[in-house]
Amino acid sequence: MNQMRVIIISVLLIVTSSVFAQTIDYNRIILPENSADIELSEKLVQLAWLNHPDNQSVKENLRISQIDLKLSKRRWLSNFRVSGNLNEFNIDESRDLTNRSQFFPRYNFSLSFPLGDLFMNPLENKQNKILIDISQNEINAAKLLVRRNVLQAYNNFLLLEEVYKIQRLAMDNAETNHAIVEESFEQGEETYEKYTASFNNLNQRKITILQAERDYKNAKLVVEEMIGMPLENVN
């Protein structure tokens, strides 16, 4: 019995470690631009990532963090000082009758290095590296969010498009049925109550189709806002 428990626990540990060892390939969350033969939904995710201003801002934040790191790594160069001493005597030695130019060298070089930089600069570099990691994490999080939002919006668009088509068919049937009832009513073969019910049903179908068309078009606008172009232009 104890041996069986050990085996079960070992298997669970192996499975658990395997699950936690899996990492997300964020380069696959948004497929590369040169990817071929991808589904329309994946193309929409690509376009949203490329075109929406919010995503551009997240990418620029990473660039800023990278530039800050470069600046902090090169900050020590600002401690170099070059100074010169040019005057009439060391420019034209023939006028220096008393040899005073030996006390005023033409060029002076100096190097200063504040002691605090020895301790502060490495910390600043480390901080900027952390900020780069944070910016990269924000990009990864944005990719996940973009993918979810775009696919949800596109799925909603597809649903409402089908609903609109169904309501369109129902509307056509209602128009056909009412035309039959109306003709029968005019020939005295149908009651006024049935004609009125058919007429009311037709009007209700008209309202329903208008609402379905509105919802369908609004869902399309949401997707187009994300990708920055009309859906018809996506190829």
Side-chain angles (χ1 to χ4, degrees):
M1 187 66 178
N2 289 336
Q3 186 177 4
M4 181 61 67
R5 290 181 60 187
V6 171
I7 295 175
I8 294 174
I9 293 174
S10 299
V11 171
L12 289 175
L13 288 174
I14 293 173
V15 172
T16 303
S17 61
S18 175
V19 170
F20 282 103
Q22 294 179 354
T23 58
I24 300 176
D25 183 2
Y26 289 98
N27 292 324
R28 304 300 299 175
I29 296 298
I30 311 290
L31 295 179
E33 295 182 54
N34 57 359
S35 299
D37 300 326
I38 64 175
E39 296 180 359
L40 177 59
S41 57
E42 295 294 343
K43 183 65 177 179
L44 296 178
V45 174
Q46 274 185 342
L47 291 171
W49 179 247
L50 291 173
N51 295 339
H52 201 281
D54 288 345
N55 303 325
Q56 299 303 321
S57 298
V58 174
K59 298 172 191 175
E60 291 302 319
N61 285 337
L62 175 60
R63 289 186 60 195
I64 291 173
S65 299
Q66 292 170 337
I67 292 173
D68 286 340
L69 178 60
K70 290 181 180 179
L71 289 174
S72 65
K73 285 184 174 181
R74 300 174 184 178
R75 202 176 305 282
W76 62 273
L77 292 172
S78 62
N79 295 312
F80 282 105
R81 299 289 185 271
V82 178
S83 61
N85 180 33
L86 296 177
N87 54 63
E88 58 180 322
F89 303 112
N90 54 31
I91 293 176
D92 186 1
E93 296 181 359
S94 63
R95 301 181 60 182
D96 187 12
L97 302 178
T98 59
N99 201 23
R100 284 177 290 184
S101 61
Q102 63 179 325
F103 301 105
F104 302 99
R106 179 171 296 187
Y107 304 106
N108 293 322
F109 294 94
S110 64
L111 173 62
S112 62
F113 194 89
L115 190 59
D117 285 0
L118 292 173
F119 302 97
M120 298 299 295
N121 194 247
L123 291 176
E124 187 178 5
N125 291 340
K126 184 176 182 180
Q127 175 180 277
N128 287 326
K129 289 178 181 178
I130 294 174
L131 291 175
I132 288 177
D133 291 339
I134 292 174
S135 298
Q136 185 62 61
N137 289 336
E138 290 174 349
I139 287 179
N140 293 339
K143 286 182 177 181
L144 293 171
L145 186 62
V146 166
R147 181 177 181 81
R148 185 199 69 183
N149 289 344
V150 171
L151 293 181
Q152 282 185 348
Y154 183 58
N155 288 338
N156 188 52
F157 162 75
L158 293 177
L159 170 65
L160 294 175
E161 184 181 35
E162 288 302 314
V163 170
Y164 172 71
K165 291 177 181 179
I166 292 171
Q167 294 297 343
R168 181 77 262 175
L169 291 174
M171 175 70 181
D172 293 341
N173 290 334
E175 289 178 334
T176 301
N177 291 334
H178 180 67
I180 295 173
V181 171
E182 185 177 35
E183 183 179 357
S184 299
F185 175 72
E186 292 175 349
Q187 294 176 358
E189 300 174 354
E190 197 60 80
T191 63
Y192 176 75
E193 288 76 12
K194 189 167 183 180
Y195 168 78
T196 301
S198 174
F199 180 74
N200 290 336
N201 178 63
L202 177 61
N203 286 335
Q204 185 58 50
R205 287 297 178 185
K206 289 180 179 179
I207 295 173
T208 302
I209 191 67
L210 289 173
Q211 293 174 335
E213 184 179 14
R214 175 205 61 195
D215 294 341
Y216 156 64
K217 289 182 177 178
N218 286 343
K220 182 172 180 285
L221 290 175
V222 171
V223 176
E224 291 176 341
E225 178 188 11
M226 291 180 173
I227 65 176
M229 67 174 63
L231 267 173
E232 294 80 7
N233 293 351
V234 179
N235 49 39

